[in-house]
Amino acid sequence: GDDVRQSLLSSLQGSYLGMVPYAFLLATPTGVLADRLKHDFPLIAEVIITKEFPRTLAVTVKERMFFGIMCNDKVDEAVALQEGRQTQCAYLDTQGFAYQQAPQTHGFLIVKISTDMPDIAVGTQLIEKEMMRRIVEISQKMPSVIGTPVTGYEFLSAIPHEVRVMTKQGFFLMIERDT
């Protein structure tokens, strides 16, 4: 809302070569503005900016859909302690994009994706989109197929071609990453 509006207004301050104001509609770089908004507000999945003459910019924003929390809590603890690392977590959307730092989670209310990746970088694609599509589908269908919900996933470098699917009942399934 207001934060996005303020960001746009501040981006439109100044001028090209000191002569043509950025806010002059014909000179307004909508693609650059859209990219800046997505960078400044990682919760934005998609932004469309259109020019409506004579003096209006129409901004349409689509927010990311929350899926779960991804943590690198499977990093070798001895190595992590030696290097002074702490567990990192991020909110993950349904496309596998990390959009904000998150606290560690425990329990069954939020899907947790555990990994041994050394870094969980906010603003990056942590899980490939096709793999994430499969994960979302598994999470949606699992309760009706086997009678228990998915509580988490594990992506481990020791088993690079498989993903562990954790269930509320305490057992896990292995699925292939590449199919």
Side-chain angles (χ1 to χ4, degrees), residues 64-65 67 70 91-99 121 124-129 131-133 136:
R64 297 185 180 284
M65 291 180 52
F67 177 76
M70 186 167 190
Y91 292 108
L92 207 65
D93 74 358
T94 56
Q95 300 293 308
F97 185 85
Y99 60 88
T124 62
Q125 188 76 34
L126 293 179
I127 299 175
E128 307 84 21
K129 288 182 181 182
M131 183 72 235
M132 197 64 203
R133 184 196 63 73
V136 169

Side-chain angles (χ1 to χ4, degrees), residues 14-15 40-41 47 50 52 63-65 82-83 88 94 99 103-105 115 121 130-131 134 138-139 160 163 171:
S15 61
D40 292 348
F41 300 93
V47 62
T50 54
E52 295 179 359
E63 288 188 7
R64 297 185 180 284
M65 291 180 52
Q82 185 178 18
E83 295 177 359
Q88 302 167 330
T94 56
Y99 60 88
Q104 279 194 320
T105 182
T115 184
E130 179 57 26
M131 183 72 235
R134 291 178 57 215
I138 289 167
S139 291
V163 176
F171 62 89

Side-chain angles (χ1 to χ4, degrees), residues 114-126:
S114 294
T115 184
D116 58 0
M117 293 177 5
D119 291 307
I120 300 290
V122 171
T124 62
Q125 188 76 34
L126 293 179

Side-chain angles (χ1 to χ4, degrees), residues 117 157 174:
M117 293 177 5
S157 58
M174 301 292 279

Side-chain angles (χ1 to χ4, degrees), residues 11-31:
S11 296
L12 293 173
Q13 301 298 313
S15 61
Y16 295 104
L17 303 173
M19 297 178 358
V20 179
Y22 291 141
F24 180 62
L25 206 54
L26 290 175
T28 302
T30 57

Side-chain angles (χ1 to χ4, degrees), residues 24-43:
F24 180 62
L25 206 54
L26 290 175
T28 302
T30 57
V32 171
L33 290 175
D35 289 344
R36 187 171 298 151
L37 282 178
K38 286 173 67 175
H39 177 267
D40 292 348
F41 300 93
L43 190 55

